[in-house]
Amino acid sequence: MKLTGAQILWRCLEREGVTDVFGYPGGAILPAYDAMLDSPIRHVLVRHEQGATHMADGYARASGRVGVALATSGPGATNMVTGIATAMMDSSPIVCITGQVGSRLIGSDAFQEVDITGITLPITKHNYLVTRPDDVARAVREAFLIARAGRPGPVLIDITKDAQQASCEFDWDAALPSLHGGRPSGRPARADFAAAAALIAQARRPVILAGHGVLVSGAMSEVAALATRGNIPVAMTLLGIGCFPATNPLNLGMMGMHGEAWVNVAIQEADLLIACGMRFDDRVTGNLKTYAPRAKKIHMDIDPSEINKNVPVDVALVGDLREVLVELLPILDAGDSREWIEYIASLKGDVAVRDIQTLPDDGHLYAAHVINDLWRATRDTDTIVVTDVGQHQMWEAQYYHHDKPYSLITSGGLGTMGFAVPAAIGAKRARPEAEVWAVVGDGGFQMTMCELATAVQENLAIKVAVINNGFLGMVRQWQEFFYERRYAATPLSGPDFVKLAEAFGIHAIGVSNRPGVVPAVNSARAHDGPVLIDFRVEQEDTVYPMVPAGADLHAMIRRPSPIVETAADV
Ligand SMILES: Cc1cc2nc3c(=O)[nH]c(=O)nc-3n(C[C@H](O)[C@H](O)[C@H](O)COP(=O)(O)OP(=O)(O)OC[C@H]3O[C@@H](n4cnc5c(N)ncnc54)[C@H](O)[C@@H]3O)c2cc1C
Ligand SMILES: Cc1ncc(C[n+]2csc(CCOP(=O)(O)OP(=O)(O)O)c2C)c(N)n1
Ligand SMILES: [Mg+2]
């Protein structure tokens, strides 16, 4: 059967099981858009191509399926770069399709020509420049295989306009990829499993470090079995949150720069770290020279290049985490960690008095209160929280106690402001039955707020909680601690977010005090459509604890006690 390259593209996307794409048209991708009208795949028209990539990313993280974004050549393609890098850093499987100028024009500085395969080479798992219709099917099939296989990530397919327009025989079967898809060859040796089991049996002060790989692998019950069998406490990375229930007594919470003090102290005093699908990011380890000095280390990860990259380990088990744990669990003998668990519990003791949640309402509205109240209101429902980047992101990690996997979506590795609103739209598209909240700072919101129009046009009932502190808060916090409170370019004005949302046709509420939080959240939940709440919170509030960048993990700046949180109180 003869089809155009553009028609082949849609037939292949359909065969790959794609139901939704996020995109924005333009000249070089017009043939593909024209052919789209004959496809059952639904298209979401975004307002900026960065939004399309974050939507595809949010879609992927919420559903486990590959997210797809579409753009034209030149500026359309370059607008995707931030979203592609975001997906790359956090191992999120997306396929981005861009139009390219005609193959005979390549290299001539043609209108809207940009070398997008060159630009995205370091931020994709792989990319393709397709110049003939005959190569479209293979490129699409390989792209989907590569995006989801092994350690997931983004793949880009750049298709010239003439390759979209010309026709050829469409043969799906002949385009079968011959790649292995990035899985590590072979399994860990029997001796390595035995060595890991021996370390676990000997340990008296073990900690499991559970990362994003637990969620990617779907190894939640195996990690829980490891923890329960060995009575081993579990600390999570930011991207691992939700992989082990917050309510499980063995859950310690988040590790690292803004992890709770007892978590980081436990890691520093541990005699064994069992790293499960996490990559020892510098936000997690602090100073590598003094990181967990007395601990033996076991690292289970699918990507061999992560082993010994930042932290030298004693035993490495390379492979899919779930498969590795299924093999390890039957040969495990638990060590005795009772004293250790009691010791960690005692570390938690002095934290409660410092915690803002335990203080009476002093008339100020704190972001931590907003997040905690949001958690109380939504904890029993199928809720996904998508955060932006900054102080609100850290408070979310600390005060929204995630019990369910895949219930937090956030940009960790690249830390991309502007991620939350579009990623929430993508998550809602992927999981329409879930309640989806975007928790976003007033700075990041202003970067991609145009996507509210997308939510309205597509009638996607996301709930947006703007944590409005009038500052680029996280940067202001660094200036407070490390630059003598010289607030260069961090005070931030914005529009009246309530009026702005109303102008988009979105129901909106403003909240300035704590008693207003729960009614506003309930009203947002009851409303059948997108809602925005403008939470006007304390301006100069601080995320505690904090490990200064590069400092020893135990050298945290702790919460003051009694708590001093407001500029007015100082
Ligand atoms: C403002 C800000 C502050 C931050 N503060 C903190 C903080 O305090 N604490 C913190 O933890 N993070 C923090 N982060 C996030 C941090 O930068 C990293 O993004 C995060 O720590 C990475 O977590 P991860 O290693 O679990 O996930 P990823 O970076 O996604 O790595 C996943 C790992 O799992 C592996 N993997 C993938 N699939 C599989 C599989 N099937 N089987 C086995 N392994 C697999 C991958 O190879 C990779 O090594 C912060 C980010 C920002 C923006
Ligand atoms: C695209 C981008 N630019 C700059 C930064 C650096 N940065 C990190 S956090 C932050 C402040 C975020 O401010 P806001 O969105 O208001 O959130 P808050 O910290 O106040 O909660 C900035 C500027 C970034 N992470 N991403
Ligand atoms: Mg702010």
Side-chain angles (χ1 to χ4, degrees), residues 195-209 232-233 266-267 269-275 292 294-299 314-315 340:
L199 286 180
I200 293 170
Q202 284 154 20
R204 293 293 171 268
R205 300 192 306 281
V207 178
I208 293 171
L209 307 180
I232 306 172
I267 289 169
E269 297 187 6
D271 67 0
L272 177 67
L273 297 182
I274 310 168
R294 286 176 288 280
K296 299 270 187 200
K297 283 132 195 145
I298 302 171
H299 195 178
D314 299 276
V315 178
W340 175 233

Side-chain angles (χ1 to χ4, degrees), residues 388-393 395 414-417 440-445 447 467 469 471-475 492:
D388 215 75
V389 170
Q391 289 186 310
H392 63 280
Q393 179 187 29
W395 282 313
L414 203 67
T416 305
M417 285 172 69
V440 55
D442 47 332
F445 178 66
M447 284 194 166
I467 307 297
N469 55 9
F471 272 101
L472 297 173
M474 184 54 93
V475 181
L492 175 79

